Amino acid sequence: MLDRRGFLGAIALSPAIAPIAFLEPNHLPGMLEVLGAYASSPAPPERIAGDEDFWFQIQEAFTVDRTIINLNNGGVSPALSVVQDSMKKYLDFSHRAPVYNMWRILEPQKESVRKGLAELFGAAPEEIAITRNTSEGLQICQFGFDLEPGDEVLTTNQDYPRMINTWKQSERRQGIVLRQFSTPVPAEDIGQIVSLFEEQINSRTRLILMCHMINLTGQILPVKEVVQMARKRGIPVIVDGAHSFAHVDARREDLDCDYYATSLHKWLFSPHGTGMLYVRRDRIKDLWPLMAASEGQDEDIRKYEEIGTHPAASFLAIGDALAVHQGIGPARKEARMRYLRDYWANRLLENPRVRLHTSLDPRFSCGLANMQIEGVDSAQLTSYLWKEYRILVTTIKHDEFEGIRVTPSVYTQLNELDRFCDVVEGVIKNGIPS
Ligand SMILES: Cc1ncc(COP(=O)(O)O)c(C=O)c1O
């Protein structure tokens, strides 16, 4: 954990920005003060989770529209204001002379961001590729293995539609076979989940794709146990970390995974269009990139970054998001996210018509949860919340369950959750007015 001076230094001298020194520490004075004061605090994360003075300063680090109660931060997050400012400055600088400023000065600074991401995830920098989002990282993995007609890939029926479509396209194009199975909602038995994966494996199974945190319900799956089971059988597991990275404080060693892709515009509060792919060092050689790279790059993680001309600004501003994330403290952020979820969920669960499709056990969930009011259509509830109260949630309709997904963020204020609960309780009592 950084002390106050260390944290100020991390912001002001973030290696990604040091050569141009865009950021002034007075960018976010209140937040720096409070983070500085708490940096060496011995208080456990669970206690700080309910300290509104601490979180008020973090709330101020965003530029969100407070006429909207945005409880759909699972979709995409606003970036921190310091990240937005930094990105704009990098863009301005790039446009003065892109071939020189962007390619020769800014682009090499990406290496500092790679190091920062590696440190946070507990990996080596040579195992971290900076991508544009989870989709890109996962598709590098999904298309990067040589599969033959008849080869099977295994995943659940709750994985992300784009990733399912990727396999379905490979079914049409190459004749592979996609096998999907159902998992309990919520799932609270690690052994049972591992067995469900294991039971589906047969002699044609070549790959497994699994979510760390399922976007529909916030369910956290036991990645490490599934990876270790599959590794014994020689089957690689591609981990979809879209919702878990910088949300739960899980590092590579906690997952023991070889392939992990995430988006940084969700829970790291980085610019939109930023992501990270981890590939274990000895697996890089055998995983093809999506866009071709030279033979000399076969064992270089940077082969996954050969995407043609793209802005350096967004990738470098990840460095600013990393500095704030480390300053807040990953464990404190996770605890706050769970605190916010419990705040609204426990109040609404007092009503017997409210069902939560998300476990409250911290091993199986964090800040993202799915709730349903029995007898109320979830799509109508979403629409009513938005039209009448400017409260944003998202409807989840799956063949096996439905509900609204509620995802506050660290900038969410408790009175916003109170208002959300008041409206939902009104609907339970009186229905949705027609
Ligand atoms: C589970 C999961 N996987 C992958 C993605 C794709 O993320 P992106 O659109 O950032 O590529 C999402 C997006 O919400 C997701 O929820």
Side-chain angles (χ1 to χ4, degrees):
M1 177 58 64
L2 297 171
D3 61 13
R4 182 172 185 278
R5 181 179 291 183
F7 179 73
L8 293 172
I11 293 268
L13 293 175
S14 168
I17 54 174
I20 313 183
F22 283 145
L23 282 180
E24 307 286 334
N26 66 3
H27 242 81
L28 53 174
M31 190 173 72
L32 287 178
E33 284 307 317
V34 78
L35 289 179
Y38 281 80
S40 53
S41 162
E46 288 68 28
R47 210 160 86 226
I48 292 186
D51 181 340
E52 296 313 309
D53 289 342
F54 180 92
W55 293 103
F56 175 70
Q57 299 298 335
I58 308 297
Q59 289 156 14
E60 291 296 289
F62 291 83
T63 57
V64 295
D65 177 351
R66 291 287 177 191
T67 71
I68 292 174
I69 298 180
N70 185 351
L71 302 180
N72 184 11
N73 291 282
V76 62
S77 174
L80 292 151
S81 63
V82 71
V83 168
Q84 296 175 45
D85 289 350
S86 164
M87 190 174 73
K88 285 172 205 154
K89 287 174 183 173
Y90 285 129
L91 266 185
D92 287 346
F93 182 70
S94 296
H95 283 285
R96 283 190 216 151
V99 288
Y100 182 73
N101 287 3
M102 186 169 80
W103 283 350
R104 303 228 347 234
I105 297 185
L106 295 183
E107 192 67 27
Q109 293 177 41
K110 202 166 78 173
E111 293 309 312
S112 303
V113 172
R114 191 187 314 284
K115 287 193 186 105
L117 289 168
E119 190 186 345
L120 181 59
F121 194 50
E126 291 305 315
E127 298 174 311
I128 298 292
I130 301 168
T131 61
R132 288 166 290 188
N133 46 48
T134 309
S135 304
E136 183 177 14
L138 290 178
Q139 293 203 353
I140 287 170
C141 299
Q142 291 179 285
F143 289 127
F145 288 89
D146 291 317
L147 298 175
E148 304 287 332
D151 283 350
E152 290 197 8
V153 294
L154 178 60
T155 195
T156 74
N157 65 7
Q158 291 184 36
D159 273 70
Y160 195 63
R162 184 173 298 110
M163 289 32 261
I164 299 296
N165 282 335
T166 305
W167 294 132
K168 287 190 170 163
Q169 181 180 289
S170 293
E171 285 190 308
R172 300 197 299 280
R173 189 175 176 187
Q174 291 164 273
I176 69 153
V177 177
L178 169 63
R179 185 184 283 266
Q180 288 178 269
F181 64 96
S182 178
T183 53
V185 177
E188 296 181 303
D189 179 340
I190 292 177
Q192 181 197 22
I193 302 166
V194 178
S195 298
L196 285 171
F197 275 92
E198 195 164 19
E199 281 161 14
Q200 301 292 327
I201 293 175
N202 62 45
S203 61
R204 299 308 309 256
T205 310
R206 293 287 173 267
L207 281 174
I208 292 174
L209 168 72
M210 74 180 294
C211 282
H212 185 196
M213 182 186 283
I214 298 176
N215 67 303
L216 308 174
T217 58
Q219 171 79 48
I220 294 177
L221 292 176
V223 168
K224 186 178 198 166
E225 289 80 356
V226 174
V227 167
Q228 291 178 348
M229 174 278 292
R231 190 178 283 139
K232 279 193 209 137
R233 295 161 164 271
I235 302 168
V237 178
I238 303 165
V239 181
D240 180 341
H243 282 281
S244 54
F245 188 72
H247 177 176
V248 292
D249 182 17
R251 290 160 64 85
R252 201 215 71 89
E253 65 185 13
D254 303 316
L255 307 175
D256 196 19
C257 56
D258 298 335
Y259 308 90
Y260 176 96
T262 190
S263 297
L264 304 176
H265 45 232
K266 288 189 189 283
W267 295 106
L268 192 65
F269 313 140
S270 288
H272 300 156
T274 54
M276 177 189 95
L277 170 67
Y278 162 83
V279 181
R280 207 173 92 181
R281 199 188 296 245
D282 59 358
R283 302 279 191 261
I284 296 170
K285 187 166 179 295
D286 295 327
L287 186 73
W288 292 103
L290 260 187
M291 284 200 202
S294 70
E295 196 177 348
Q297 287 179 293
D298 273 357
E299 297 184 43
D300 186 347
I301 191 80
R302 293 164 194 77
K303 71 181 177 182
Y304 305 118
E305 296 171 0
E306 289 294 338
I307 56 168
T309 304
H310 57 276
S314 359
F315 288 172
L316 292 195
I318 296 168
D320 303 281
L322 278 167
V324 173
H325 183 75
Q326 297 286 20
I328 295 173
R332 290 176 190 167
K333 185 165 162 187
E334 173 177 342
R336 175 65 171 182
M337 289 299 298
R338 201 167 275 121
Y339 178 88
L340 294 173
R341 193 275 317 274
D342 287 347
Y343 186 89
W344 67 263
N346 285 332
R347 172 169 161 189
L348 293 181
L349 279 171
E350 280 173 21
N351 192 299
R353 279 175 62 204
V354 170
R355 283 186 59 189
L356 209 61
H357 296 305
T358 307
S359 167
L360 290 177
D361 182 329
R363 290 175 302 160
F364 299 111
S365 66
C366 193
L368 185 154
N370 180 319
M371 64 147 275
Q372 179 183 13
I373 306 173
E374 266 167 34
V376 173
D377 179 79
S378 301
Q380 280 179 21
L381 177 59
T382 298
S383 159
Y384 176 67
L385 285 166
W386 173 244
K387 286 194 184 135
E388 298 300 324
Y389 298 96
R390 286 171 72 77
I391 297 175
L392 273 174
V393 296
T394 189
T395 310
I396 302 290
K397 289 214 175 187
H398 186 272
D399 287 348
E400 295 162 12
F401 59 92
E402 72 156 72
I404 59 169
R405 191 183 74 182
V406 182
T407 327
S409 185
V410 295
Y411 66 79
T412 306
Q413 299 186 326
L414 296 187
N415 61 21
E416 295 175 318
L417 294 178
D418 289 336
R419 236 179 305 159
F420 164 69
C421 290
D422 290 345
V423 177
V424 171
E425 283 167 355
V427 168
I428 294 169
K429 200 162 159 216
N430 306 316
I432 296 176
S434 44

